[in-house]
């Protein structure tokens, strides 16, 4: 059975996958510039018959494996950047750079993708079509996938695209995903309320923006719970209120900052319009003004139903594997969404909690103490390779 062979190949490659992951983990890079990470990947894959393309706006690269016969095209993606945060894992290969850590698992994503490339290169003579491997920087808020698309690195667009994201607090080796909305759009919200400042002992001579800002916060909560259908998740969270410079001074303005999470392009626009109307109306009622600014983050991650089903098939065929359908979307965000706006495909989560531990008590992503059971990584490489093989052979059938 093909799946048996893929997993056997991946397990044979486990030392290489783990070594690459650890090398990347020890030297984390941030944002759109990850030259050391890309150099490690290129060195690991240097002996393979791959064609490389690099962009100009970031250190993203796409490498192409051409099969022996013409056919379909499929894209597999892994991200390379880390987070600006300390590491407290105590691992012997922990970050060597203060204030940086691979706490979202991108080191594992890159290593699994490199493993998949090696598995598939060994089958080049059996493949009809081409597999593209997308090594992407700048996922952590820097829109790296969009930059790579703008650079033309994915042109002509592939016919299908797949990506994995590890979950350190999910069942070991289990793949989880769903058709439709998987992850939310994540936009930044800023509301500036402008009044008229003055002495704190004479508030009647001012137009205090602080209580107005607080009233807007309360109104936002009512907006989310009373204006929109409860069955469609939406999150608007105000996380900062910045105002004032002294205990006895009423400031001229107050600034609210937060995040907006939505699951469809339509709802993403509607909430912006509603927030502007509410903030401006409340401010006007108190003889103040409000300016609402929304900074675009990632769009919602929408899985093609056929691609989600293909993930489930491949995961189920691997020995000891399992697939679980997520009951509802997760309100985090991912910039693989830019690829999925243009190419039918899917993202899935791979559980990498310790095989013999309580996965519910593990630290999640973006934790300073997040750890990964590396024995799950060959399975991830096999799943990616399996998706490519299955799509090239059968398409969406």
């Amino acid at each position: 059975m093909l799946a048996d062979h893929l997993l056997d190949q991946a397990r044979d490659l486990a030392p290489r996958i783990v070594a690459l992951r650890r090398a990347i983990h020890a030297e984390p890079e941030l944002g759109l510039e990850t030259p050391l990470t890309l150099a490690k990947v290129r060195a690991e894959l240097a002996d393979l018959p791959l064609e490389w393309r690099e962009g100009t706006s970031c250190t993203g690269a796409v490498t192409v494996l051409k099969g022996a016969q013409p056919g379909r095209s499929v894209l597999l993606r892994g991200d390379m950047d880390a987070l600006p945060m300390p590491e407290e894992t105590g691992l012997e290969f922990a970050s060597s750079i203060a204030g940086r850590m691979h706490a979202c698992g991108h080191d594992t994503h890159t290593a699994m993708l490199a493993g998949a490339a090696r598995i598939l290169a060994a089958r080049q003579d059996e493949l009809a079509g081409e597999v593209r491997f997308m090594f992407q920087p700048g996922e952590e808020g820097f829109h790296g996938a969009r930059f790579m698309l703008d650079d033309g690195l994915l042109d002509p667009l592939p016919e299908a695209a797949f990506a994995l994201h590890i979950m350190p607090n999910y069942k070991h080796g289990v793949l989880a995903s769903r058709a439709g909305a998987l992850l939310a759009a994540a936009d930044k919200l800023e509301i500036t309320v402008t009044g008229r400042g003055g002495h704190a002992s004479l508030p009647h001579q001012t137009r205090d923006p602080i209580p107005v800002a607080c009233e807007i916060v309360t109104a936002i909560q009512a907006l989310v719970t009373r204006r929109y259908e409860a069955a469609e998740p939406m999150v608007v969270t105000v996380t900062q209120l910045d105002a004032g410079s002294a205990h006895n001074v009423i400031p001229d303005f107050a600034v609210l900052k937060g995040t907006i999470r939505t699951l469809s392009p339509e709802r993403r626009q509607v909430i912006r319009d509603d927030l502007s109307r509410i903030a401006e109306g409340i401010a006007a009622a108190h003889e103040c003004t409000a300016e609402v600014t929304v900074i675009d983050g990632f769009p919602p991650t929408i899985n093609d139903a056929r691609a989600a089903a293909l993930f489930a098939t491949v995961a189920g065929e691997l020995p000891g594997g399992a697939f679980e359908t997520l009951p509802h979307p997760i309100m985090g965000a991912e910039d693989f969404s830019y690829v999925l706006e243009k190419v039918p495909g899917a993202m899935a989560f791979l559980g990498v909690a310790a095989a013999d531990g309580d996965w519910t008590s593990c630290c999640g992503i973006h934790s300073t103490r997040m750890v990964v059971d590396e024995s799950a990584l060959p399975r991830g490489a096999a799943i990616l390779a399996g998706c490519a093989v299955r799509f090239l052979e059968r398409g969406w059938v």
Side-chain angles (χ1 to χ4, degrees), residues 30-35 38 53-61 80 134-139 142-154 335:
L30 305 179
L32 296 169
E33 298 299 318
T34 56
L38 181 59
R53 291 186 247 163
E54 295 186 28
T56 57
S57 62
C58 65
T59 56
M80 300 188 292
M134 178 182 179
F135 293 97
Q136 180 213 308
E139 193 283 326
F142 291 87
H143 307 269
R146 189 186 70 198
F147 279 102
M148 291 184 68
L149 283 161
D150 291 345
D151 280 350
L153 290 177
L154 274 62
D335 84 342

Side-chain angles (χ1 to χ4, degrees), residues 178-365:
R178 69 193 308 272
L182 177 72
L183 293 160
D187 299 318
K188 295 179 181 179
L189 171 66
E190 184 171 307
I191 303 174
T192 301
V193 179
T194 302
R196 186 173 69 245
H199 201 287
S201 67
L202 301 168
H204 58 285
Q205 295 180 358
T206 73
R207 293 296 178 265
D208 191 344
I210 295 178
V212 179
C214 293
E215 190 173 328
I216 291 171
V217 174
T218 302
I220 289 173
Q221 312 314 306
L223 169 69
V224 171
T225 59
R226 292 296 179 267
R227 294 279 300 194
Y228 306 121
E229 188 175 352
E232 181 181 351
M234 175 186 295
V235 175
V236 182
T237 303
V238 176
T239 56
Q240 292 177 262
L241 198 168
D242 300 328
S245 58
H247 78 282
N248 59 350
V249 176
I250 291 174
D252 287 321
F253 63 91
V255 180
L256 300 170
K257 296 181 181 180
T259 183
I260 305 170
R261 308 281 173 142
T262 52
L263 292 171
S264 68
E266 296 78 17
R267 188 63 75 206
R268 193 182 189 195
Q269 183 57 52
V270 167
I271 187 63
R272 297 178 187 212
D273 298 338
D274 288 347
L275 286 168
S276 293
R277 186 182 67 256
I278 284 176
E280 292 167 5
I282 290 173
H286 295 280
E287 298 182 29
C288 295
T289 61
E291 180 181 1
V292 177
T293 302
V294 178
I295 301 171
D296 284 348
F298 304 153
T301 302
I302 310 296
N303 281 348
D304 186 283
R306 299 167 299 176
L310 194 151
F311 256 137
T313 298
V314 170
E317 288 181 352
L318 291 177
F323 179 88
E324 294 184 357
T325 299
L326 294 173
H328 50 73
I330 296 171
M331 299 308 286
E334 236 286 349
D335 84 342
F336 188 58
S337 55
Y338 288 115
V339 176
L340 296 183
E341 283 186 323
K342 298 179 178 295
V343 180
M347 170 172 274
F349 298 107
L350 177 66
V352 293
D356 56 354
D358 176 14
W359 62 270
T360 63
S361 64
C362 295
C363 293
I365 56 174

Side-chain angles (χ1 to χ4, degrees), residues 10-222:
R11 285 173 171 161
D12 288 342
L13 293 173
R16 301 188 76 129
I17 295 170
V18 170
L20 179 60
R21 182 257 167 159
R22 292 185 177 189
I24 294 170
H25 190 93
E27 292 187 286
E29 297 178 288
L30 305 179
L32 296 169
E33 298 299 318
T34 56
L36 295 177
T37 305
L38 181 59
K40 291 179 176 71
V41 172
R42 294 199 65 151
E44 166 60 20
L45 302 180
D47 61 312
L48 301 184
L50 303 173
E51 300 175 9
W52 287 87
R53 291 186 247 163
E54 295 186 28
T56 57
S57 62
C58 65
T59 56
V62 173
T63 187
V64 181
L65 175 69
K66 293 186 179 294
Q69 302 295 326
R72 302 180 180 92
S73 61
V74 60
L75 175 77
L76 305 177
R77 177 269 208 167
D79 37 8
M80 300 188 292
D81 57 321
L83 285 158
M85 57 184 285
E87 178 166 354
E88 299 176 319
T89 61
L91 296 169
E92 62 182 37
F93 55 90
S95 173
S96 62
I97 303 174
R100 296 184 185 180
M101 178 187 175
H102 269 290
C104 201
H106 297 185
D107 52 341
T108 68
H109 303 166
T110 299
M112 290 188 294
L113 183 59
R118 189 165 289 279
I119 292 170
L120 292 167
R123 296 171 172 270
Q124 185 179 27
D125 292 343
E126 306 169 21
L127 299 178
E130 67 176 37
V131 187
R132 304 183 204 170
F133 305 92
M134 178 182 179
F135 293 97
Q136 180 213 308
E139 193 283 326
E140 293 293 347
F142 291 87
H143 307 269
R146 189 186 70 198
F147 279 102
M148 291 184 68
L149 283 161
D150 291 345
D151 280 350
L153 290 177
L154 274 62
D155 294 336
L157 291 174
E159 297 168 68
F162 299 90
L164 289 182
H165 199 301
I166 58 103
M167 291 295 270
N169 54 346
Y170 202 72
K171 305 164 196 172
H172 181 91
V174 173
L175 197 71
S177 191
R178 69 193 308 272
L182 177 72
L183 293 160
D187 299 318
K188 295 179 181 179
L189 171 66
E190 184 171 307
I191 303 174
T192 301
V193 179
T194 302
R196 186 173 69 245
H199 201 287
S201 67
L202 301 168
H204 58 285
Q205 295 180 358
T206 73
R207 293 296 178 265
D208 191 344
I210 295 178
V212 179
C214 293
E215 190 173 328
I216 291 171
V217 174
T218 302
I220 289 173
Q221 312 314 306

Side-chain angles (χ1 to χ4, degrees), residues 72 390 394-397:
R72 302 180 180 92
R390 178 59 63 92
R394 307 183 190 179
W396 296 120
V397 178

